Amino acid sequence: MRNDEEKRLEVGIGSKEAGEHCGEHVVFDLSGTVKANVEDIALILTARLQSPPTDSVWVHSMPSRTAEILRYLRLQHLFRLVPDTEGDLN
């Protein structure tokens, strides 16, 4: 990756507490990333593989080429993509 490309990977963790433990959500934010590097992908996949089935791993703003590669490798089922939204959120 070139030095002039801005890159950041942000991680957020949240939990749902509605009577029962419904699992936690880990969110990786790849906003501003032109392409994800091997470390980013390894971190996302490791988070999913190390989490219990009740937890969810989400990825926000995954570069299209990275998503395509993960589909070719049949790994896309290990995480969820945060949907792109048009306009303001409710």
Side-chain angles (χ1 to χ4, degrees):
M1 181 168 291
R2 297 184 341 229
N3 291 338
D4 59 344
E5 292 178 357
E6 181 181 328
K7 180 181 180 315
R8 68 176 190 214
L9 173 64
E10 294 182 10
V11 179
I13 299 174
S15 63
K16 205 185 243 188
E17 298 172 9
E20 291 183 30
H21 181 69
C22 297
E24 292 187 352
H25 300 278
V26 178
V27 181
F28 292 93
D29 185 1
L30 296 173
S31 297
T33 303
V34 176
K35 62 181 178 179
N37 61 32
V38 173
E39 291 86 8
D40 294 338
I41 296 170
L43 187 60
I44 293 165
L45 296 176
T46 300
R48 174 65 272 169
L49 295 173
Q50 295 296 317
S51 300
T54 56
D55 292 0
S56 296
V57 176
W58 294 81
V59 180
H60 181 262
S61 299
M62 179 179 286
S64 60
R65 180 68 177 145
T66 303
E68 185 179 345
I69 290 168
L70 291 172
R71 277 194 302 276
Y72 288 148
L73 296 173
R74 298 179 187 225
L75 297 174
Q76 76 278 4
H77 68 283
L78 295 176
F79 55 88
R80 298 176 181 186
L81 295 176
V82 175
D84 291 331
T85 58
E86 296 281 332
D88 295 332
L89 296 175
N90 292 334

